[in-house]
Amino acid sequence: MAGTSALIIGLLSLTLPSPYLVESPGPMFNTIGEIEDQAVISVSGEQTYPTEGSLNLTTVFVAGAPTSTVRVPEAVTGWFNSGTDIQPHELIYPSGTTAEQVQQQNTAAMTSSQDLAVAAALNELGIDYNQELSVVDFTAEAVQVGTDEQLQPGDQVTAAAGSSITGLEGLRDAVNTAAGQPVALTVLRDGEELDYEVPTYQEADGDYYVGIMLENEFDFPVDVDIELDGVGGPSAGLMFTLGLVDSMTEESMTGGENWAGTGTVDPDGTVGPIGGIAQKVVGARSQGIENFLVPTANCTELDGRVPDGLATYAVDDVSEGRAIVEAVRDSDQDFLAGLEPCGS
């Protein structure tokens, strides 16, 4: 009887949901190509040119609550798959997060990444645009030190530490330079310019923060339409940017080569880290890609996980990513030899 009970319990456990998320390689999308005869990127208001090759953004499938169910056998199998990572659910999604909230967050992040990509592409091409940085809300840390008693939602941040800023990168630099001391912020409120000394604090990552949630608002001289349904998150920024630059530049960036990559992007072109890098390189190589652009901050995650036949290049900003793609196009071995290795 005891043996039968143990067998039943064992069988039942195989049908139970696992408390893990399974990350595996997802599909690629060519930012300078078409999907069902519809261009992924369309630009009006500026001259565009034919492209060749591909500049693919990469994705990751994430299976598990709250969007789906991962059974115990699936989680166990994932542990032994070199192209799959297993993450405890609570490390990714706070308790109580719903599927609808995840979808909304991913959609908002994708929309934001598209705006940032347009800004970064115009910056790379030297085309002017207008940008405003507005206060939306405050973190608990900012409320604790009284920042919300100085600034208000809707305030437009125009200067930090006495220097004009138009994007998050300028504010970030000023806050880190303050290194825990209050930072001088100038805001525009109802047409009036106001100055405040705003407290800063240090987080576990070593950077300093003011705890202000901000929103970028752009006024571009071109209209850009990006058609890509069913893909969320901020990590497509770099490849959207390069796709836009290639489309708006007469000379082909790739020279017919097929590329893939990933990374967030700021208006000044700074490339930031993303999740799922190991899955993205595996997915790209499985589809024949030989060259991959990786945010520098993600390179250590690729130690021992770069598929054979895939060259990975560390990228700090859009200009560097563009230069690497063009160096491979031109077989510029001197330039490529000077690059730091990314993963192994």
Side-chain angles (χ1 to χ4, degrees):
M1 178 65 71
T4 301
S5 298
L7 176 61
I8 292 173
I9 292 172
L11 291 173
L12 287 174
S13 69
L14 296 179
T15 67
L16 294 175
S18 163
Y20 295 99
L21 297 175
V22 178
E23 298 176 334
S24 58
M28 299 191 311
F29 301 92
N30 181 14
T31 61
I32 54 175
E34 296 181 347
I35 298 177
E36 296 181 352
D37 297 325
Q38 174 70 48
V40 173
I41 297 177
S42 300
V43 180
S44 58
E46 187 71 25
Q47 177 69 51
T48 59
Y49 303 89
T51 59
E52 57 182 345
S54 61
L55 292 165
N56 294 285
L57 65 87
T58 47
T59 65
V60 175
F61 281 129
V62 180
T67 58
S68 61
T69 300
V70 172
R71 305 295 177 185
V72 171
E74 295 172 279
V76 172
T77 301
W79 287 112
F80 299 98
N81 187 331
S82 61
T84 299
D85 278 342
I86 309 296
Q87 301 281 357
H89 171 271
E90 293 296 332
L91 288 183
I92 308 299
Y93 300 122
S95 179
T97 302
T98 66
E100 290 75 17
Q101 288 173 327
V102 173
Q103 178 63 37
Q104 290 172 358
Q105 291 167 3
N106 285 338
T107 300
M110 172 59 82
T111 300
S112 175
S113 76
Q114 293 175 4
D115 287 340
L116 295 174
V118 175
L122 296 180
N123 179 72
E124 175 68 16
L125 295 169
I127 300 174
D128 291 334
Y129 61 90
N130 294 320
Q131 178 183 11
E132 294 181 358
L133 200 61
S134 300
V135 176
V136 177
D137 206 346
F138 306 92
T139 64
E141 292 84 355
V143 172
Q144 185 176 3
V145 298
T147 301
D148 62 323
E149 298 175 4
Q150 298 175 296
L151 305 182
Q152 298 178 9
D155 285 350
Q156 180 187 341
V157 183
T158 59
S163 298
S164 297
I165 59 172
T166 58
L168 292 172
E169 65 282 351
L171 178 60
R172 187 182 298 121
D173 290 344
V175 171
N176 276 311
T177 299
Q181 298 300 311
V183 61
L185 296 186
T186 301
V187 302
L188 193 64
R189 181 187 303 159
D190 298 327
E192 182 181 2
E193 195 169 78
L194 304 170
D195 295 311
Y196 295 100
E197 292 287 325
V198 179
T200 65
Y201 58 90
Q202 190 175 30
E203 289 279 20
D205 60 7
D207 284 341
Y208 293 88
Y209 296 86
V210 286
I212 305 171
M213 300 179 193
L214 297 161
E215 178 181 47
N216 277 301
E217 297 179 3
F218 299 100
D219 182 12
F220 298 126
V222 299
D223 291 323
V224 177
D225 183 32
I226 298 178
E227 293 289 338
L228 190 61
D229 295 331
V231 178
S235 66
L238 171 61
M239 301 313 288
F240 277 145
T241 301
L242 292 179
L244 279 163
V245 171
D246 193 17
S247 298
M248 299 168 68
T249 305
E250 186 171 3
E251 184 178 16
S252 168
M253 184 187 300
T254 70
E257 295 285 342
N258 294 314
W259 283 80
T262 188
T264 65
V265 73
D266 283 344
D268 70 342
T270 300
V271 173
I274 49 75
I277 186 62
Q279 288 70 52
K280 290 179 177 181
V281 295
V282 169
R285 186 68 189 112
S286 71
Q287 297 181 63
I289 296 296
E290 297 180 354
N291 297 290
F292 197 106
L293 299 174
V294 181
T296 298
N298 286 122
C299 283
T300 56
E301 300 172 48
L302 288 179
D303 288 342
R305 302 192 70 174
V306 178
D308 290 340
L310 183 68
T312 51
Y313 300 93
V315 179
D316 287 312
D317 56 51
V318 169
S319 293
E320 184 176 26
R322 180 183 182 185
I324 291 170
V325 174
E326 292 175 345
V328 170
R329 176 198 67 191
D330 299 335
S331 300
D332 187 346
Q333 298 305 318
D334 290 338
F335 177 89
L336 295 173
L339 300 177
E340 292 291 328
C342 182
S344 59

